[in-house]
Amino acid sequence: MAQYNLTINGKSLNVDVDPSTPMLWVLRDHLDLVGTKFGCGIAQCGACTIHLNGNAVRSCQLPVSAAENTEITTIEGISENGDHPVQKAWLEHDVPQCGYCQAGQIMSATALLKSNPSPSDEDIDNAMNGNICRCGTYTRIKAAIKTAAKSA
Amino acid sequence: MTLIDKKLNRRSFLKVSTLAGGGMMLSFSWLAGCKPTPEQVLTMPKEWFEINSYIKIGENGAVTLFNPNPEFGSNVKTSLPMLLAEELDVDWKNVFVEQADFYPKRFERQFTGGSQGIRSGWVPLRTAGATARQLLVNAAAQTWNVPATEITTNTGYLEHKGSGNRAGYGEVASLAGTLEAPDPETVKLKDISEFKIIGNSKKNVDGSKIVTGKPMYAMDHKVEGMKYAAIVHPPAFGMKIKSFDEASVTSLPGIQDVFSIKLFKEGFERHAFDTTTFPEIIAIVGNSTWEVMQAKKALKADWEIAPESNFKMSGWGPDVSEVKVPSGLENSSTHSEKMAEYITKPGNILRKDGDPEGAFKKASRVIERTYTAPFLAHNPMEPINCFADVKGDKAIIYGPSQIPDFIHGTVANSLGLEKENVQINLARMGGGFGRRAYSHHLTEAALISQRIQAPVKMVYTREDDMTAGVYRPTYSATYRAALDENNNLLALHVKAGGIPESPIHANRFPAGAIDNYLAEGWQIESNITIGAFRAPRSNFIAGAEQSFLDELAEEMGKDPIEFRLELLKRAETNPVGKDNDYDPKRYAGVLELVRDKSNWSNVPNGISRGVSAYFCHNSYVAEVVDVSIKDNQPVVENVYAAVDCGIVVNPDAAANMGEGAIIDGIGNAFYGEMAFENGAPTKRNFDTYRMIRHSEAPKKIEVHFVDNKEDPTGLGEPLFPPVFAALGNSLYKATGKRLYDQPFQPQLIDMKNLRM
Ligand code: FES
Ligand code: FES
């Protein structure tokens, strides 16, 4: 066990966990930030996507020991009131089915739009291909990303 | 106005007062409020008044509607309350929706599966809404001292023109809650033309919670003092636990205990949905998910071959059956060999019309094709998990289950508790697709909690989930057609089976459209567990049948849509045989609609196009798939679907589910496959089990609904089965290669030699 001081969604938080613990489980089990989801544990599904210094990363592969002195953002932190343009576009297109993958999808989409404010279809495919949606909401996700790109 | 079904069960209209004191409300916060969200127009009321099982109204006119069915992504949590709201006659923006827990005394059918949610809720839920509205009217009549028949309602308001009285529902809710509920048989339902909510798209009621990452799933549940559990199951079908070394994990950080649990008591008569691959598994309990997952890897366990076993099963039909689980470690290569033997071996005759044998003898040409598909894993995005808190003689379970009713008795029996003391609360599910109709994980979590006498959350890893069985079976179907010298169809013969079940629906199209018709089925026993997977059996046989009809049309020199329409005309005007279980007119209707919407005969440049149609879950669907070829690989450009599922309650959500079913079908047709070596699943996670991803989804999907006034039928499943053949047939046009075996993608890797 070791003490870590983490900056998550702009807040400074302390945890006492094994250094190998992935951020996914630090967030979910230790900090009660359960919006970040477990899907595969091997960087294949994207359900656990968070931002590390603004970049989309898979939190199931990020040990807590590597997260110190970074800025971490989770789905709970991308907006105060759920009104980030990507969140709004998601609601406008009524994207979710079961909803389980959507936090990860939104985190990948917000990171994409930050670096590329008007992505092409191919840019979207490339940025989003790591996020599986078992329910098959891909066409709506693409449409929502385009809507968000316009409104941002 | 329509009079409601007289057979309606009264249970839904019971008053809570008759139930209070039953000791069931372990966590069921009936009159407690839900949290308001910023978009809500009305604030939370000070007090709620219960009108019936589904409806409570606040003094300020706010309305809470309970969604009885488990939500796994088909959006019943929005569309079922829409049925209530329509007849209650309220403004949708003043409605809060809450998920009901499993509560059989209050709700009749808490079941998500078989595409039956809307269909079975259609009359009962509208009646519950209409009955509640009548109660409010009666309360106003009493208050104003006027006849109830002179009172009208309009979106949350009551009015009596004669006296000039007007009141909001909230003003009479308290009185309405004390009145005797009217006999549902006397309550009239709205005519379709009066609908204000049904047929108008409403957004997912959980949309804001989903996009902000609020806890909603069993996986997100946590209570004070909760422990975490991982499980270890045998590595292969046909194996069981021999021994395990507790000391290999108990000294690891954060680990509290390791033990094995047996899911069923000796001699227990299992329910048909108690399907589980491993009736004994090892549980590791500790302080965090990561720690128990690490311990899982460190656990030293020995496995042995399980001998043949038997158990008694009931709960599906009246009979108790004896189920045999054969011994042995099975291989996919052996499966294929055994299935291929049936191409020439006779099966069981399921339907016979005319003289098929004679027609085949007379034929100048016989076309025979065999289609196969592998086992499939459901792979819902949220791995199997469950929360349970069992203390003394009481159990609370919060778990993802499509059919809590089917596991309730089993959990109680395994725990040695009274059913009344086992409360199952319904979590939103991260997908189901049939997998969570089998709720063994509820029993597992409950047994672990009972053993440690503390609340616990059990979580499967993706590997546990993917290798624990309950798969879509593997199937094979051989179709034969007899043609005369003028290419007229004389007879059709289908022989299809699988491991361990046959996919044949013998009375479906093209039965009824062909004079000489023979359907045979067969099955091969196995210890690989199977279960319902989105549109069971249809999800294979539709692809085989509709691919064969496509090839047949080509051989006969006919347009594939025209050919199907000719057959359907025959089934409509002069049907062959009895018990044809489809309506040829509605079937033809979706083919005509898709022909129109896709502009069928006007194929855009660079596009190859295929069609398919199927009937299942009481609904009709036709689909056209357009593919192009880029960099020697097929790209799905457009999909057009025409659907006849009767009245569509929530059109945009219905389209969303249809799009999902189409993408699901394309993914499984191209990539879906589970295989076995010595009983062990060869794929354990998404690195090897290929799932469809963003770049492989169609560029455009259009879902068109036939506009009619039929009562609603199934929707979650019917768009899935037709995709396989529509895709296969379009790939044939693009490549010149007919695809007979799923998955398609491995056969398309080297397309250089194919026509393009
Ligand atoms: S859980 Fe991290 S990518 Fe799947
Ligand atoms: S919405 Fe269910 S997995 Fe994406």
Side-chain angles (χ1 to χ4, degrees):
Chain A
M1 295 297 213
Q3 291 276 349
Y4 293 94
N5 180 261
L6 305 166
T7 308
I8 298 172
N9 300 333
K11 287 194 203 100
S12 161
L13 300 166
N14 291 306
V15 287
D16 184 11
V17 292
D18 183 273
S20 70
T21 312
M23 274 310 294
L24 169 64
W25 299 112
V26 172
L27 293 168
R28 292 186 55 84
D29 288 357
H30 301 278
L31 299 171
D32 294 340
L33 290 166
V34 293
T36 305
K37 294 293 189 267
F38 167 56
C40 69
I42 59 163
Q44 287 292 319
C45 77
C48 66
T49 306
I50 60 170
H51 294 175
L52 181 80
N53 297 328
N55 299 313
V57 298
R58 312 295 178 217
S59 66
C60 67
Q61 300 302 307
L62 177 70
V64 61
S65 53
E68 268 199 318
N69 304 316
T70 67
E71 294 272 341
I72 285 178
T73 309
T74 69
I75 185 72
E76 291 90 347
I78 58 166
S79 67
E80 277 285 294
N81 302 311
D83 53 2
H84 185 286
V86 170
Q87 289 169 313
K88 288 208 299 212
W90 244 246
L91 293 177
E92 187 185 326
H93 290 269
D94 216 15
V95 172
Q97 287 187 34
C98 82
Y100 194 80
C101 73
Q102 299 296 345
Q105 306 277 2
I106 289 171
M107 296 312 284
S108 290
T110 48
L112 163 68
L113 290 177
K114 217 183 291 165
S115 63
N116 180 356
S118 47
S120 65
D121 282 10
E122 211 181 326
D123 295 337
I124 296 175
D125 285 344
N126 288 338
M128 302 300 294
N129 243 17
N131 290 81
I132 296 173
C133 175
R134 174 66 181 86
C135 299
T137 62
Y138 296 130
T139 46
R140 285 185 186 237
I141 289 175
K142 192 172 274 174
I145 291 175
K146 289 179 180 175
T147 298
K150 268 188 228 134
S151 67
Chain B
M1 303 286 258
T2 337
L3 268 180
I4 60 114
D5 184 354
K6 292 220 180 351
K7 295 189 300 286
L8 198 74
N9 190 323
R10 296 287 193 83
R11 198 163 21 161
S12 331
F13 309 100
L14 285 180
K15 310 294 291 177
V16 73
S17 50
T18 64
L19 294 170
M24 268 301 290
M25 292 192 219
L26 294 171
S27 74
F28 195 85
S29 53
W30 185 250
L31 292 178
C34 41
K35 304 255 175 338
T37 58
E39 303 84 57
Q40 237 81 48
V41 172
L42 290 176
T43 52
M44 287 304 283
K46 291 185 201 69
E47 207 178 341
W48 286 111
F49 304 100
E50 193 210 10
I51 311 298
N52 63 31
S53 288
Y54 296 94
I55 298 165
K56 56 184 184 177
I57 296 181
E59 86 289 337
N60 65 345
V63 177
T64 291
L65 302 178
F66 283 85
N67 164 45
N69 288 8
E71 174 63 272
F72 70 176
S74 63
N75 214 5
V76 285
K77 193 173 173 184
T78 306
S79 49
L80 288 178
M82 284 171 73
L83 303 181
L84 294 163
E86 180 68 65
E87 295 288 347
L88 181 60
D89 194 10
V90 287
D91 194 335
W92 184 253
K93 71 177 192 298
N94 295 334
V95 167
F96 300 90
V97 173
E98 274 190 54
Q99 176 64 52
D101 289 329
F102 174 60
Y103 207 153
K105 284 185 179 154
R106 281 186 165 274
F107 303 107
E108 284 170 44
R109 188 189 171 278
Q110 297 188 273
F111 179 148
T112 292
S115 293
Q116 297 302 300
I118 294 288
R119 185 170 179 244
S120 346
W122 180 240
V123 172
L125 291 195
R126 285 188 302 141
T127 305
T131 315
R133 178 186 158 279
Q134 189 61 45
L135 265 174
L136 295 160
V137 167
N138 292 351
Q142 196 170 314
T143 309
W144 298 333
N145 204 11
V146 298
T149 47
E150 292 176 10
I151 295 176
T152 55
T153 61
N154 188 2
T155 47
Y157 286 89
L158 298 134
E159 195 174 346
H160 181 252
K161 285 235 166 65
S163 62
N165 277 307
R166 184 177 148 88
Y169 282 3
E171 295 170 62
V172 298
S174 130
L175 176 59
T178 66
L179 297 181
E180 177 77 14
D183 183 346
E185 289 172 23
T186 65
V187 174
K188 285 178 178 171
L189 299 181
K190 282 186 182 176
D191 186 76
I192 296 167
S193 61
E194 298 170 281
F195 287 165
K196 294 181 206 159
I197 293 175
I198 293 171
N200 289 303
S201 298
K202 302 291 174 219
K203 303 276 189 214
N204 188 326
V205 293
D206 277 340
S208 315
K209 287 187 188 157
I210 292 169
V211 303
T212 53
K214 295 284 182 302
M216 270 185 290
Y217 305 90
M219 188 74 101
D220 302 339
H221 199 59
K222 189 176 182 182
V223 300
E224 211 31 55
M226 185 183 85
K227 293 292 175 182
Y228 295 81
I231 63 110
V232 179
H233 66 63
F237 290 77
M239 297 202 91
K240 65 185 194 55
I241 302 170
K242 183 178 182 195
S243 63
F244 58 95
D245 175 14
E246 293 167 32
S248 62
V249 295
T250 40
S251 59
L252 294 176
I255 299 305
Q256 176 186 323
D257 206 350
V258 52
F259 48 85
S260 76
I261 51 169
K262 285 195 171 138
L263 261 61
F264 307 104
K265 287 234 158 87
E266 209 60 53
F268 175 66
E269 207 171 88
R270 296 190 204 175
H271 188 283
F273 278 67
D274 279 347
T275 308
T276 190
T277 305
F278 305 109
E280 185 179 13
I281 59 173
I282 302 165
I284 302 171
V285 178
N287 295 334
S288 72
T289 316
W290 180 245
E291 284 166 323
V292 294
M293 282 184 178
Q294 293 303 99
K296 210 175 123 56
K297 291 184 200 149
L299 180 76
K300 292 205 178 78
D302 281 325
W303 316 102
E304 60 189 357
I305 303 280
E308 181 184 310
S309 61
N310 294 276
F311 59 85
K312 284 201 173 21
M313 188 177 83
S314 62
W316 198 243
D319 304 330
V320 177
S321 53
E322 183 85 15
V323 178
K324 174 179 143 194
V325 183
S327 182
L329 304 180
E330 301 180 19
N331 288 290
S332 290
S333 52
T334 328
H335 287 160
S336 302
E337 286 163 21
K338 282 189 184 172
M339 294 207 297
E341 288 170 16
Y342 273 95
I343 298 173
T344 49
K345 263 206 278 200
N348 317 310
I349 294 182
L350 302 172
R351 173 163 170 153
K352 187 168 165 177
D353 295 316
D355 175 20
E357 292 87 352
F360 273 97
K361 273 197 203 108
K362 280 207 310 254
S364 66
R365 200 148 66 102
V366 172
I367 300 168
E368 177 180 312
R369 301 288 183 262
T370 295
Y371 302 83
T372 69
F375 284 97
L376 295 175
H378 297 76
N379 298 333
M381 215 58 223
E382 178 192 21
I384 286 171
N385 70 92
C386 186
F387 167 88
D389 188 1
V390 183
K391 280 196 204 87
D393 66 353
K394 289 225 176 353
I396 297 173
I397 296 167
Y398 185 65
S401 173
Q402 290 177 227
I403 319 178
D405 194 25
F406 286 0
I407 200 74
H408 196 201
T410 307
V411 175
N413 186 278
S414 300
L415 291 172
L417 299 182
E418 294 300 321
K419 234 171 143 176
E420 289 68 35
N421 287 340
V422 176
Q423 171 64 34
I424 301 176
N425 297 331
L426 300 179
R428 187 182 184 88
M429 288 172 267
F433 312 99
R435 180 62 182 87
R436 294 190 226 269
Y438 311 92
S439 305
H440 55 86
H441 44 287
L442 272 61
T443 316
E444 292 163 6
L447 287 169
I448 296 169
S449 174
Q450 185 177 48
R451 166 87 175 237
I452 63 170
Q453 286 291 303
V456 73
K457 183 164 66 186
M458 176 194 75
V459 176
Y460 277 37
T461 59
R462 174 57 60 190
E463 290 81 1
D464 296 330
D465 182 298
M466 203 178 280
T467 59
V470 197
Y471 303 120
R472 197 287 299 264
T474 179
Y475 295 114
S476 170
T478 301
Y479 279 85
R480 293 165 70 228
L483 300 179
D484 70 10
E485 61 281 2
N486 298 318
N487 273 338
N488 293 311
L489 180 59
L490 300 177
L492 192 91
H493 173 202
V494 51
K495 184 163 56 180
I499 303 175
E501 64 158 24
S502 167
I504 292 235
H505 294 279
N507 293 324
R508 285 194 188 158
F509 181 79
I514 297 164
D515 286 311
N516 303 301
Y517 177 81
L518 176 64
E520 293 178 86
W522 49 265
Q523 53 278 319
I524 296 169
E525 67 174 21
S526 168
N527 59 25
I528 294 168
T529 49
I530 58 123
F533 185 112
R534 195 174 213 161
R537 298 171 288 283
S538 305
N539 61 32
F540 167 71
I541 202 72
E545 168 200 301
Q546 292 288 312
S547 297
F548 188 67
L549 290 187
D550 200 73
E551 193 162 351
L552 203 51
E554 187 184 37
E555 293 288 341
M556 295 166 73
K558 293 186 174 177
D559 171 79
I561 293 185
E562 216 37 65
F563 174 51
R564 286 169 175 84
L565 290 175
E566 278 172 23
L567 290 171
L568 288 161
K569 196 79 207 163
R570 169 67 204 273
E572 185 197 334
T573 52
N574 181 18
V576 181
K578 288 197 294 280
D579 304 325
N580 300 326
D581 70 357
Y582 59 95
D583 175 345
K585 255 189 138 141
R586 291 179 77 181
Y587 212 135
V590 292
L591 276 161
E592 284 158 356
L593 183 62
V594 88
R595 179 170 65 184
D596 182 37
K597 295 295 179 185
S598 66
N599 204 354
W600 170 250
S601 43
N602 242 328
V603 187
N605 267 347
I607 292 287
S608 303
R609 145 175 294 195
V611 67
S612 159
Y614 202 67
F615 162 78
C616 68
H617 300 88
N618 318 95
S619 294
Y620 303 81
V621 178
E623 290 170 353
V624 166
V625 168
D626 286 354
V627 299
S628 66
I629 302 290
K630 292 212 173 81
D631 305 326
N632 262 327
Q633 284 300 301
V635 175
V636 181
E637 297 284 344
N638 313 308
V639 181
Y640 303 89
V643 184
D644 182 350
C645 60
I647 294 166
V648 182
V649 174
N650 195 7
D652 189 46
N656 190 354
M657 194 165 42
E659 292 153 19
I662 287 166
I663 291 174
D664 191 2
I666 292 171
N668 276 299
F670 269 130
Y671 318 115
E673 180 177 36
M674 178 52 91
F676 304 90
E677 268 171 38
N678 296 320
T682 55
K683 299 176 183 184
R684 303 169 52 79
N685 204 326
F686 299 131
D687 51 345
T688 45
Y689 198 111
R690 187 161 170 193
M691 309 286 285
I692 189 168
R693 289 174 183 271
H694 277 270
S695 60
E696 294 140 357
K699 305 285 170 270
K700 182 181 85 175
I701 303 176
E702 288 180 16
V703 179
H704 300 277
F705 294 99
V706 173
D707 188 10
N708 65 23
K709 295 184 170 44
E710 303 284 340
D711 283 356
T713 51
L715 187 63
E717 293 165 281
L719 282 96
F720 184 63
V723 191
F724 295 81
L727 177 64
N729 296 339
S730 70
L731 289 169
Y732 164 67
K733 289 276 184 203
T735 66
K737 184 179 160 69
R738 291 269 178 198
L739 296 163
Y740 300 103
D741 304 298
Q742 292 169 30
F744 297 154
Q745 199 269 344
Q747 304 160 67
L748 297 170
I749 289 179
D750 182 14
M751 304 226 312
K752 292 196 192 76
N753 300 324
L754 305 174
R755 155 161 50 92
M756 271 180 284

